[in-house]
Amino acid sequence: MSGYDRVVQPAAGDEALENHLGGDEAKNYRRYEYDMVAPHVGRSMLEIGSGLGHFAEQFLPRLDRLVVSDFDPYCVEQLAKRFEGRDDIQVLRFGLPTEIPLAEPVDTVVMMNVLEHIEEDVEALRSLAKVTAPGGRIIIWVPGYMQLYGDFDRKVGHVTRYTPATLGRTVRAAGLKPAVLKPINFLGGIAWWAAVRRGGVGYPDPRLVKIYDRTVVPTTRFIERFIRPPFGQTVFCVARVPH
């Protein structure tokens, strides 16, 4: 079984969503995620590990078709309730790698903080490539750098944290071509190392999340407009499916 099959994400049981750190308390961070991903999203989208559906829902105005998915039965139940009556939205339950039950391919796959849970990460990406149209995109957002690996990662079932080099090798081994591949959230990486790794905190303190969201995220976004950081809390990739 993959880590993605094995681990119930925090979204299922409590309100501290790992996929979108801080939930409603971290509005700047959630906007950061959306603004990074949105320019690469086409007209049809499959999200892997949708949790309760907050992130995917933001894309509805620009989509003709949305497929949300999760492995956790509670999340799938909540997704079905959230999008009930929408003919343009499909809800699926599966764990990667697997044959994904999609009748028609999508032009975009989005996976936010999912791949790091999966031991067979190359096979997982191959599964996704099979349901992505030729020339389409698989957008990958993963935690960066094993130097930041700590108790939090173990608790939520992270198999690894990636670097651009290790993620690039994984993407290419799956037969995909990285169009964008870079570390992001440089200051967040330093803050994470100080609070969670060196500080020995097992889970982010909600009070610190609020401070981080108000101060670190806007500063990081400003800096990253002008320079490409050498390191970051996250590695971001847009992988192309060959024609």
Side-chain angles (χ1 to χ4, degrees), residues 3-4 21 36 40 43-44 52 69 77 91-92 99 113 116 118 124 130 147 174 179 193 199 204 212:
Y4 179 48
L21 180 63
M36 288 294 300
H40 307 284
R43 300 300 303 177
S44 57
L52 304 182
S69 69
E77 179 186 357
V91 179
L92 297 177
E99 292 293 326
N113 292 324
E116 70 274 12
I118 304 173
K130 290 177 182 177
Q147 295 95 322
W193 179 81
Y212 164 86

Side-chain angles (χ1 to χ4, degrees), residues 162-199:
Y162 290 88
T163 65
T166 59
L167 184 57
R169 283 197 293 270
T170 299
V171 164
R172 292 184 183 94
L176 305 170
K177 181 179 179 181
V180 178
L181 180 58
K182 61 183 179 180
I184 59 173
N185 199 4
F186 174 67
L187 294 181
I190 296 171
W192 185 269
W193 179 81
V196 178
R197 186 72 175 89
R198 187 172 177 81

Side-chain angles (χ1 to χ4, degrees), residues 28 31-32 35 216-225:
N28 287 324
R31 187 69 200 182
Y32 181 37
D35 288 345
V216 176
V217 174
T219 305
T220 293
R221 294 195 66 171
F222 178 78
I223 291 172
E224 290 179 1
R225 286 170 54 194

